[in-house]
Amino acid sequence: PVILACGEIMLLICREIEKLPSRCKKVFKMAYLDNLKNDEIARKLRITVSTVKNQKCHALKVLRMIL
């Protein structure tokens, strides 16, 4: 049952990540799935490091609300 519960939580999180706005989702995935640093993400997406931080913060805020 514990494994099933973890699987359900992961499915819920994945669904919520896909609902994020496009750039926010892209930043989140690059940061937490690809393990890129803020400056690397900023350079690849041609946005500021501040924007990267803001997008990550927004994504985490949304995900925390569902947990």
Side-chain angles (χ1 to χ4, degrees), residues 6-17:
C6 291
E8 289 174 350
I9 291 170
M10 287 304 297
L11 184 60
L12 179 62
I13 290 170
C14 289
R15 285 182 183 157
E16 292 302 317
I17 289 170

Side-chain angles (χ1 to χ4, degrees), residues 2-56:
V2 173
I3 295 172
L4 180 62
C6 291
E8 289 174 350
I9 291 170
M10 287 304 297
L11 184 60
L12 179 62
I13 290 170
C14 289
R15 285 182 183 157
E16 292 302 317
I17 289 170
E18 291 305 315
K19 291 179 187 177
L20 292 170
S22 179
R23 183 169 46 177
C24 186
K25 176 173 40 177
K26 189 175 287 189
V27 168
F28 181 86
K29 287 181 174 183
M30 292 173 84
Y32 297 106
L33 301 180
D34 299 334
N35 294 313
L36 296 178
K37 295 180 180 177
N38 290 348
D39 60 329
E40 294 173 306
I41 297 168
R43 190 172 55 253
K44 287 184 179 210
L45 298 180
R46 296 182 179 163
I47 58 178
T48 66
V49 172
S50 177
T51 300
V52 172
K53 290 178 183 178
N54 288 337
Q55 294 295 311
K56 285 171 53 178

